[in-house]
């Protein structure tokens, strides 16, 4: 993992509490390295990329050069030979860049679109898609959501008709992160006319395939630096060798992927809360009103204490879920709790920070308004809070 140590010196400690399970000294070294990279290579450009509503693909190239796109992937595919915990560190620390959109674009590539290729792909598929993705040469997106099917995955209508040598795909996807720039799309399609969860399969579609088009780059409330695409497929021929996993068993792939996606979202929220908390403490100690720093007014002090509480409890449940997931046990309940606990809290923390910053918080310059807009996606994406509550209810036997 030599590449991981490329950026290490002179970075402040990531968290106040030092070493916390399941992380080890090695992960903390990586954490410092990532922080240094984020502060040097990403954060200075974030305002520009937010204004442009686009971050350059060069970000992927730079991250690939220091091994960050392949932390958990095996060395034989160009990865760093690490595991989920290394990616977890990356996900938490990326929040330091201050742009939910940038973190999401990177996260969609590393965290949700390439893992199914790694876990369920053939060696040939890994060579064709995972290897260039780890090098940052091909950008990936995951396409599940459709105009008529979001929370209810069983409502997917995009249909792949079996023909000689492959499939002919017709349909559309929406709200796809990296959807505009993606070179390939790991896509959920129906392969039978049966209803419900049956007959879902995964196909890898390529941007250059005839009939594949980006119908729209969507305008959003937050996540401005990321491209969110609406995609259309008209008689797209997809060869047999692009079927990922078993035909009609795609629902299992989707569910397996969701656990990791939700954990990554929880980790990102923890990182975001930590960053916002630190900035708010700094501001509240500096800004004076009625002859003293606003931090010395009890109402503000209590608000910040509440923010710290959300951050610390969010971290505790998230690290607990991560540990269980990493150990390979059934972590559905804990992952669900982590996602549910952290997403609304991250928004509330940003909203409280906005209040503490007063008028300054409403100004773009301080990046607090961006945090509020960006974190609002958390209770919606990757499974809404209502769906998380439903899953938790089932886990409780209700
Ligand atoms: C910026 C952004 C990026 C995204 N990136 C991706 C991506 O890369 N790939 C991808 O595939 N998708 C992506 N999504 C889609 C995202 O996962 C969905 O928006 C999300 O799953 C919710 O689906 P929906 O928007 O269709 O809402 P709906 O399913 O229509 O839900 C609407 C409301 O009804 C509630 N609801 C639905 N069912 C129930 C129920 N049974 N009980 C109680 N309440 C219910 C929901 O909680 C919600 O409040 C992205 C979305 C956004 C906004």
């Amino acid at each position: 993992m030599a590449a991981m140590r490329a950026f290490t010196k002179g970075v402040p400690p990531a968290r106040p509490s030092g070493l916390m399970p399941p992380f080890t000294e090695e992960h903390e070294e990586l954490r410092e390295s990532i922080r240094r990279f984020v502060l040097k290579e990403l954060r200075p450009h974030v305002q520009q990329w937010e204004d442009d509503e686009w971050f350059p693909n060069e970000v992927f190239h730079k991250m690939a050069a220091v091994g960050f796109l392949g932390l958990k992937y095996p060395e034989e595919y160009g990865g760093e030979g690490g595991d989920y915990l290394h990616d977890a560190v990356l996900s938490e620390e990326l929040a330091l860049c201050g742009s939910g959109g940038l973190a999401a674009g990177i996260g969609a590539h590393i965290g949700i679109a390439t893992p199914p290729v790694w876990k369920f792909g053939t060696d040939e598929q890994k060579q064709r898609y995972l290897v260039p993705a780890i090098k940052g040469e091909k950008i990936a997106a995951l396409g599940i959501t459709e105009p008529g099917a979001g929370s209810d995955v069983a409502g997917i209508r995009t249909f792949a008709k079996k023909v000689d040598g492959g499939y002919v795909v017709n349909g559309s996807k929406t709200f796809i992160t990296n959807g505009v720039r993606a070179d390939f799309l790991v896509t959920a399609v129906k392969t039978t006319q049966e209803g419900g969860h049956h007959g879902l399969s995964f196909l890898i579609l390529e941007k250059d395939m005839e009939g594949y088009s980006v119908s729209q780059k969507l305008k959003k409330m937050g996540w401005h630096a990321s491209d969110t695409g609406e995609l259309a497929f008209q008689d797209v021929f997809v060869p047999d060798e692009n079927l990922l996993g078993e035909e009609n068993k795609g629902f299992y792939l989707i569910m397996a992927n969701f656990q990791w996606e939700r954990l990554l979202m929880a980790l990102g929220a923890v990182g975001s809360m930590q960053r916002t908390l630190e900035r708010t403490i700094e501001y509240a100690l500096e800004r004076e009103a009625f002859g003293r720093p606003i931090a010395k007014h009890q109402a503000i002090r209590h608000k910040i204490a509440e923010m710290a509480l959300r951050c610390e409890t969010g971290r505790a449940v998230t690290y607990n879920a991560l540990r269980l997931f990493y150990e390979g046990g059934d972590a559905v309940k804990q992952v669900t709790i982590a996602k549910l606990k952290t997403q609304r809290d991250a928004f509330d923390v940003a909203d409280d920070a906005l209040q503490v910053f007063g008028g300054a918080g409403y100004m773009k310059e301080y990046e607090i308004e961006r945090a509020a807009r960006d974190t609002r996606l958390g209770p919606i994406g990757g499974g809404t809070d209502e769906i998380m509550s439903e899953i938790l209810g089932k886990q409780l036997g209700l």
Side-chain angles (χ1 to χ4, degrees):
M1 296 221 173
M4 292 183 195
R5 285 185 262 278
F7 293 87
T8 31
K9 292 198 185 85
V11 182
R15 291 163 310 178
S17 354
L19 204 60
M20 293 174 83
F23 298 113
T24 64
E25 289 290 353
E26 188 218 337
H27 298 116
E28 295 315 300
E29 257 183 52
L30 173 66
R31 191 182 295 280
E32 299 309 310
S33 175
I34 293 169
R35 283 173 77 84
R36 191 168 175 85
F37 177 88
V38 170
L39 292 175
K40 182 166 173 253
E41 304 290 345
L42 305 181
R43 193 147 139 193
H45 308 289
V46 149
Q47 185 59 58
Q48 187 62 50
W49 297 340
E50 285 279 312
D51 291 345
D52 294 347
E53 299 196 356
W54 184 268
F55 68 87
N57 278 354
E58 197 191 348
V59 167
F60 290 108
H61 307 153
K62 283 190 171 170
M63 290 190 71
V66 289
F68 292 164
L69 295 189
L71 290 174
K72 68 176 173 307
Y73 293 131
E75 288 173 22
E76 60 180 304
Y77 299 112
E80 294 290 313
D83 54 43
Y84 281 113
L85 294 184
H86 297 98
D87 252 16
V89 172
L90 177 67
S91 199
E92 195 179 339
E93 296 309 318
L94 267 181
L96 191 65
C97 78
S99 162
L102 176 60
I106 297 166
H109 178 76
I110 305 174
I112 62 172
T114 50
V117 181
W118 169 47
K119 280 172 76 176
F120 305 107
T122 60
D123 188 58
E124 189 268 335
Q125 287 171 336
K126 288 175 194 168
Q127 295 297 343
R128 261 197 305 145
Y129 297 106
L130 190 59
V131 169
I134 291 171
K135 285 186 187 156
E137 291 169 356
K138 278 189 181 171
I139 309 305
L142 179 75
I144 310 280
T145 308
E146 299 187 356
S151 304
D152 186 8
V153 174
I156 284 178
R157 292 282 168 270
T158 295
F159 196 77
K161 185 171 181 278
K162 188 76 192 84
V163 294
D164 204 20
Y167 301 84
V168 172
V169 178
N170 280 286
S172 61
K173 295 285 168 184
T174 196
F175 305 157
I176 306 305
T177 304
N178 291 345
V180 179
R181 76 178 77 215
D183 297 294
F184 68 94
L185 180 76
V186 176
T187 322
V189 296
K190 287 288 286 184
T191 31
T192 72
Q193 299 287 1
E194 263 183 274
H197 297 147
H198 307 288
L200 277 172
S201 303
F202 261 98
L203 291 177
I204 304 176
L205 270 61
E206 292 184 26
K207 195 183 196 170
D208 296 337
M209 287 174 170
E210 214 179 318
Y212 180 118
S213 63
V214 177
S215 35
Q216 220 189 134
K217 178 172 182 272
L218 298 159
K219 292 266 178 199
K220 311 184 287 293
M221 168 183 174
W223 281 24
H224 284 172
S226 74
D227 53 300
T228 308
E230 188 175 276
L231 309 170
F233 318 125
Q234 198 178 2
D235 292 331
V236 182
F237 175 76
V238 183
D240 279 332
E241 57 263 29
N242 282 30
L243 172 70
L244 194 57
E246 269 183 75
E247 196 181 68
N248 298 331
K249 298 278 166 62
F251 190 70
Y252 167 69
L253 265 71
I254 295 176
M255 291 305 127
N257 216 36
F258 263 148
Q259 295 311 308
W260 182 233
E261 175 176 5
R262 288 166 186 166
L263 256 180
L264 290 179
M265 288 185 71
L267 286 155
V270 168
S272 159
M273 286 191 276
Q274 179 68 41
R275 175 170 190 268
T276 302
L277 175 67
E278 283 168 9
R279 299 199 63 216
T280 308
I281 292 172
E282 200 181 300
Y283 186 81
L285 287 170
E286 257 174 32
R287 175 76 180 172
E288 295 202 354
F290 297 95
R292 51 191 163 142
I294 56 171
K296 301 298 173 191
H297 295 289
Q298 194 182 49
I300 296 293
R301 200 161 58 238
H302 285 193
K303 200 179 283 298
I304 296 174
E306 187 65 33
M307 290 165 71
L309 201 57
R310 290 201 176 101
C311 182
E312 289 290 325
T313 49
R315 176 177 288 122
V317 292
T318 300
Y319 283 11
N320 184 42
L322 177 64
R323 183 181 54 76
L324 280 171
F325 178 88
Y326 179 67
E327 285 168 0
D330 178 2
V332 173
K333 183 175 161 191
Q334 281 74 18
V335 169
T336 306
I337 288 173
K339 166 82 167 61
L340 191 53
K341 175 68 189 138
T342 52
Q343 304 304 303
R344 174 64 64 171
D345 274 3
F347 173 67
D348 286 342
V349 163
D351 190 36
D352 279 348
L354 216 156
Q355 195 65 22
V356 172
F357 272 71
Y362 206 72
M363 300 298 135
K364 289 206 161 186
E365 186 187 340
Y366 290 84
E367 296 181 15
I368 297 296
E369 60 83 36
R370 189 196 300 149
R373 286 185 287 107
D374 286 352
T375 50
R376 188 58 187 87
L377 193 268
I380 299 170
T384 65
D385 275 7
E386 289 77 12
I387 296 299
M388 291 300 99
S389 297
E390 278 298 293
I391 296 173
L392 185 54
K394 280 195 190 123
Q395 290 286 317
L396 297 171
L398 304 173

